């Protein structure tokens, strides 16, 4: 079994030093990483502790820069420009890393073993299954498209999750224009073929609609002028607005722009069924059902857990959750050696109110039974670190300093020499837990989590020697590191016509051509390698000069 490989290595290196002793060099700890997406790639890039042996298992031997996937659908960027072979990343490392192109199909936490199925070659019949032992398991398998079991979606819709999806969409878009240009069709048929429907008004759906609109306006008018008038783009959104997760100003601008462009945005519109000719929707207000003929549908309504994760959650008693629950150190609840991050996981943030007595006791250094302003001030940074909701709360209330917060708890008559008893302390913090939010399923979160976990592994021994670590509020268990903290750097929504909406921290909103340039520069700088950066930038330049490549 693969578990012995590390041991064999240890013996060889002993021999090389000419030490004939039975005392073996300590066996390298084996880390198994599942997934080569944002979370996995970021972990690999930042890991630099050679005392681990890492085995990466993923059905994909490359990383995909997903924010540029929508650009691939209409040929603004080439597929190969946004992928980076994983072996390019690992060959540059000082850590012993191997890769297996396979899918993990089962996790056995009792025996610290995973079961895999190779995806390399279907001719490997009978040899495609293998098991891998681990000391630490890192689960970063991402999520899959959620169809909400809507009939006909699997069979008739495009998804936009993988590179192959984007390539299929591109081919289908171009073929639609070729097909609609054939001489023997009625106008009705042309209309149907060129009716593009997008289900879901989130960032991906909106960006695809914008890409498609630009493609029609900039290239189709020149290349397929006779069919331009038959093109229709419809965006179906079940709630009241598109781009819900963005600032109102961005939502309004996007809805306005799409309206002027002639993109038919249907809000409050639930898709109930899709057959091979028609898409059925139910209007939220009056419940009326409409059947509309379509040529192509992109389904982009959010994500759900992969079968492996569903199965694993069942196994470990996490039941019907939408993602694996971890603590703030990204460890799967109840398991010391299994980590989960990115889209397949959510952090189960601890509530202040659950630990309030313990916090009070630690803060009350002189054991007087009351808390002075000084005692409170000394502990507040640690509280904010352990419970990020406290910081959000202080910000949201614009409490300038702790004294204000304490005064509030004590009532107006309070002076600077406030002391709080436990009940007053509780009431001062009673609202903070309402600020808790799940982190979004984004590349930004996955990327930061991967980097955080790599740092933990880089410093593991150091921290084991000093198990108390820097953070004073540990809740339960032996936590050795600062908990994971997310730093939101902002969000883009490309809206087409060289205009992008940007929402930066502090609710700074900018919409238009200048943010489009910000978008170009941020996405160029975020590329994982100089190779993909050069490819992406030259694709952009090529498109400016020559237009899109429309050979399907
Ligand atoms: P993924 O990146 O999905 O990686 C999962 C990895 O696990 C893959 O390598 C997969 O092959 C592998 N895997 C799957 N099953 C198994 C298995 N059984 N065993 C082993 N390995 C497995 N986020 C942003 O922040 N900004 C954006 O602009 C943005 N745009 C996006 C546009 C599109 C079209 C899409 C689809 C997503 C976009 N996102 C964006 C979201 C972002 O891509 C995800 O949040 C991010 O990819 C999550 O990272 P992950 O590592 O958890 O999962
Ligand atoms: Mg990953
Ligand atoms: Mg990815
Ligand atoms: Mg997550
Ligand atoms: Mg005291």
């Amino acid at each position: 079994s693969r578990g012995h490989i590390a041991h064999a290595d240890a013996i060889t290196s002993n021999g090389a030093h000419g030490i004939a002793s039975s005392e073996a060099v300590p066996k390298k700890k084996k880390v198994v990483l599942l997934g080569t997406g944002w979370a996995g790639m970021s972990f690999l890039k930042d890991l630099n502790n050679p005392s681990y042996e890492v085995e990466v298992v993923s059905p994909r031997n490359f990383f995909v820069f997903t924010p540029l996937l929508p650009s691939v659908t209409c040929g603004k960027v080439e597929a190969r420009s946004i992928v980076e072979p994983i072996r390019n990343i690992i060959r540059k490392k000082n850590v012993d890393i191997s890769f297996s192109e396979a899918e993990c199909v089962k996790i056995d936490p009792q025996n610290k073993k995973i079961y895999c199925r190779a995806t390399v070659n279907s001719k490997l019949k009978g040899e495609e299954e293998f098991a891998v032992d681990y000391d630490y398991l890192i689960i970063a398998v991402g999520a899959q498209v959620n169809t909400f079991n809507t009939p006909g979606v699997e069979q008739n819709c495009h998804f936009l999750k993988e590179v192959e999806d984007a390539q299929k969409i591109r081919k289908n878009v171009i073929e639609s224009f070729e097909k609609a240009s054939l001489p023997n069709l009625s106008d009705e048929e042309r209309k149907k073929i060129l009716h593009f429907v997008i289900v879901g008004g989130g960032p991906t759906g909106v960006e695809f609609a914008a890409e498609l609109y630009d493609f029609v306006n900039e290239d189709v008018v020149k290349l397929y002028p006779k069919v331009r008038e038959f093109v229709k783009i419809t965006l179906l959104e079940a709630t009241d607005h598109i781009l819900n997760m963005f600032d109102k100003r961005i939502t309004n601008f996007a809805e306005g722009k799409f309206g002027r462009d002639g993109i038919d945005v249907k809000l409050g519109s639930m898709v109930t069924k899709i057959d091979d000719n028609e898409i059925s929707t139910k209007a939220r207000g009056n419940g009326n059902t409409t059947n509309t003929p379509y040529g192509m549908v992109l389904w982009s309504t959010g994500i759900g857990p992969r079968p492996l994760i569903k199965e694993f959650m069942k196994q470990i008693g996490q039941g019907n959750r939408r993602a694996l629950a971890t603590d703030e150190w990204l460890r799967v609840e109840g398991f010391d050696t299994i980590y989960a991050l990115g889209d397949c996981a959510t952090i189960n943030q601890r509530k202040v109110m659950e630990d309030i007595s313990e916090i009070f006791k630690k803060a009350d250094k002189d054991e007087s039974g009351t808390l002075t302003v000084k005692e409170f001030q000394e502990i507040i940074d640690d509280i904010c670190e352990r419970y990020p909701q406290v910081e959000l709360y202080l910000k949201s209330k614009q409490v300038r300093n702790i004294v204000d917060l304490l005064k509030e708890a004590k009532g107006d008559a309070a002076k600077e020499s406030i002391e709080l008893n436990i009940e007053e302390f509780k009431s001062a913090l009673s609202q903070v837990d309402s600020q808790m939010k799940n982190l979004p399923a984004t590349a930004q979160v996955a990327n930061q989590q991967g980097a955080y976990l790599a740092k933990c592994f880089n410093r593991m021994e150091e921290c084991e020697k000093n198990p108390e670590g820097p953070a004073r509020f540990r809740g339960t268990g032996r936590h050795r590191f600062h908990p994971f903290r997310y730093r939101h750097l902002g969000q883009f929504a490309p809206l087409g016509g060289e205009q992008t909406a940007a929402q930066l921290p502090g609710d700074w909103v900018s919409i238009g051509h200048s943010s489009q340039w910000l978008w170009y520069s941020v996405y160029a700088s975020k590329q994982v390698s100089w190779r993909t950066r050069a490819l992406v930038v030259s694709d952009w330049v090529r498109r400016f000069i020559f237009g899109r490549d429309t050979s399907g």
Side-chain angles (χ1 to χ4, degrees):
S1 107
R2 288 161 178 248
H4 294 308
I5 295 172
H7 190 59
D9 280 351
I11 290 168
T12 328
S13 62
N14 247 354
H17 287 94
I19 306 163
S21 112
S22 56
E23 212 178 293
V25 169
K27 188 182 154 209
K28 279 191 181 182
K29 285 262 165 80
K30 170 95 173 245
V31 178
V32 172
L33 167 67
L34 305 180
T36 50
W38 274 101
M41 183 277 308
S42 152
F43 175 80
L44 285 177
K45 274 201 100 171
D46 285 8
L47 184 73
N48 58 27
N49 185 342
S51 66
Y52 294 106
E53 180 205 0
V54 182
E55 176 154 353
V56 185
V57 175
S58 175
R60 232 171 49 189
N61 73 350
F62 51 84
F63 163 76
V64 186
F65 193 87
T66 50
L68 289 180
L69 270 178
S71 303
V72 174
T73 58
C74 294
K76 198 195 255 175
V77 169
E78 292 300 320
R80 73 192 156 90
S81 307
I82 66 164
V83 308
E84 180 69 13
I86 210 71
R87 288 180 190 279
N88 272 356
I89 295 172
I90 63 183
R91 83 188 152 89
K92 296 174 191 145
K93 306 291 302 187
N94 63 339
V95 187
D96 180 4
I97 303 175
S98 62
F99 174 77
S100 302
E101 192 171 276
E103 187 185 13
C104 173
V105 289
K106 192 178 161 56
I107 298 165
D108 176 0
Q110 271 71 44
N111 298 305
K112 291 191 159 192
K113 208 187 254 301
I114 60 157
Y115 294 89
C116 305
R117 190 177 303 128
T119 45
V120 179
N121 186 339
S122 56
K123 283 183 191 134
L124 277 171
K125 281 270 145 52
E127 288 164 34
E128 68 271 27
E129 283 182 15
F130 59 92
V132 183
D133 298 316
Y134 65 81
D135 294 306
Y136 297 101
L137 178 64
I138 300 174
I139 308 176
V141 297
Q144 65 183 28
V145 172
N146 196 347
T147 66
F148 301 97
N149 295 319
T150 312
V153 172
E154 290 288 352
Q155 301 84 329
N156 300 305
C157 294
H158 283 277
F159 301 130
L160 182 48
K161 199 85 178 68
E162 307 289 336
V163 182
E164 302 85 61
D165 297 336
Q167 287 170 309
K168 267 191 229 153
I169 291 171
R170 178 174 175 181
K171 204 166 151 65
N172 197 324
V173 167
I174 292 165
E175 305 237 287
S176 301
F177 284 100
E178 292 299 347
K179 207 163 146 199
S181 305
L182 292 173
N184 56 341
L185 297 178
S186 69
D187 286 357
E188 246 0 86
E189 286 168 309
R190 284 187 230 278
K191 269 192 193 145
K192 176 178 180 297
I193 294 167
L194 294 180
H195 184 203
F196 299 94
V197 180
I198 295 129
V199 185
T204 301
V206 165
E207 193 176 347
F208 175 67
E211 284 288 333
L212 192 60
Y213 175 79
D214 282 357
F215 174 58
V216 169
N217 252 10
E218 293 162 18
D219 296 78
V220 168
V221 281
K222 291 180 225 146
L223 303 171
Y224 308 89
K226 289 197 188 116
V227 300
R228 167 70 182 91
E229 59 175 308
F230 302 109
V231 179
K232 179 166 183 198
I233 304 174
T234 302
L235 178 60
L236 303 173
E237 165 58 43
T239 69
D240 292 337
H241 289 289
I242 61 172
L243 296 179
N244 279 315
M245 61 295 293
F246 282 87
D247 190 279
K248 268 254 113 16
R249 285 166 283 179
I250 293 179
T251 299
N252 289 341
F253 181 87
E255 286 174 1
K257 176 177 188 298
F258 279 10
R260 289 190 298 278
D261 289 349
I263 297 175
D264 191 5
V265 179
K266 288 202 161 80
L267 302 169
S269 197
M270 282 270 292
V271 175
T272 52
K273 190 180 81 194
I274 302 179
D275 67 24
D276 42 9
N277 286 302
E278 286 185 339
I279 180 162
S280 309
T281 56
K282 204 167 112 187
R284 223 190 19 194
N286 52 22
N288 283 354
T289 303
T290 320
N291 298 320
T292 321
Y294 70 85
M296 180 178 161
V297 182
L298 173 72
W299 184 270
S300 165
T301 59
I303 54 172
R306 292 188 187 279
L308 171 74
I309 299 299
K310 259 192 231 163
E311 187 55 42
F312 185 52
M313 289 193 293
K314 233 190 274 165
Q315 243 171 286
I316 63 173
Q318 289 197 5
N320 281 323
R321 300 177 45 92
R322 288 169 52 181
L324 261 172
T326 71
D327 62 18
E328 299 92 324
W329 291 264
L330 310 185
R331 300 181 311 182
V332 174
E333 302 234 303
F335 295 90
D336 255 3
T337 54
I338 306 181
Y339 298 80
L341 57 165
D343 284 3
C344 68
T346 53
I347 297 174
N348 227 348
Q349 182 62 53
R350 259 192 101 73
K351 295 195 178 80
V352 170
M353 282 304 135
E354 283 170 4
D355 299 340
I356 193 88
S357 311
E358 196 193 339
I359 296 173
F360 186 87
K361 231 165 69 199
K362 281 197 182 138
D364 183 17
K365 281 218 187 95
D366 60 1
E367 297 177 33
S368 65
T370 57
L371 227 54
T372 61
V373 170
K374 187 163 169 284
E375 282 174 324
F376 197 95
Q377 253 155 358
E378 275 173 9
I379 208 91
I380 189 72
D381 286 344
D382 282 341
I383 297 180
C384 287
E385 160 113 32
R386 177 72 178 79
Y387 308 92
Q389 65 265 38
V390 176
E391 196 174 13
L392 291 174
Y393 178 74
L394 296 180
K395 266 193 205 143
S396 76
K397 294 220 43 173
Q398 300 191 306
V399 181
R400 274 184 319 273
N401 55 47
I402 301 306
V403 179
D404 285 351
L405 184 73
L406 301 188
K407 269 186 185 161
E408 209 173 274
K410 265 311 235 199
D412 289 339
K415 300 193 197 65
E416 298 283 312
S417 58
I418 303 165
E419 291 196 32
L420 294 188
N421 63 30
I422 175 102
E423 288 312 318
E424 289 161 336
F425 182 63
K426 265 188 202 166
S427 91
L429 295 177
S430 63
Q431 296 301 311
V432 298
D433 288 328
S434 65
Q435 294 291 322
M436 294 201 305
K437 269 192 269 178
N438 278 341
L439 296 177
T442 61
Q444 214 177 118
V445 171
N447 192 45
Q448 290 181 22
Q449 290 183 332
Y452 164 82
L453 197 60
K455 210 153 101 198
C456 293
F457 274 81
N458 289 342
R459 297 182 44 218
M460 190 88 90
E461 292 97 342
E462 182 192 324
C463 294
E464 264 165 10
K465 275 182 221 135
N466 176 23
E468 276 308 299
R472 257 170 280 174
F473 289 113
R474 280 146 224 294
T476 53
R478 301 162 288 114
H479 304 306
R480 298 184 185 106
F481 310 101
H482 287 281
F484 171 71
R485 278 292 277 288
Y486 172 58
R487 305 214 181 279
H488 186 64
L489 302 173
Q491 221 175 344
F492 287 110
L495 300 172
E498 294 298 310
Q499 300 200 68
T500 281
Q503 184 173 341
L504 300 172
D507 282 332
W508 192 79
V509 166
S510 150
I511 306 169
H513 299 284
S514 58
S515 0
Q516 179 71 34
W517 283 102
L518 185 62
W519 183 89
Y520 279 125
S521 64
V522 167
Y523 282 5
S525 73
K526 293 277 178 207
Q527 294 300 314
V528 278
S529 72
W530 283 101
R531 192 188 65 86
T532 56
R533 188 169 301 135
L535 290 173
V536 163
V537 171
S538 72
D539 285 348
W540 286 336
V541 172
R542 175 184 50 71
R543 204 264 312 181
F544 269 115
I545 301 173
F546 300 109
R548 295 166 178 80
D549 174 14
T550 53
S551 55

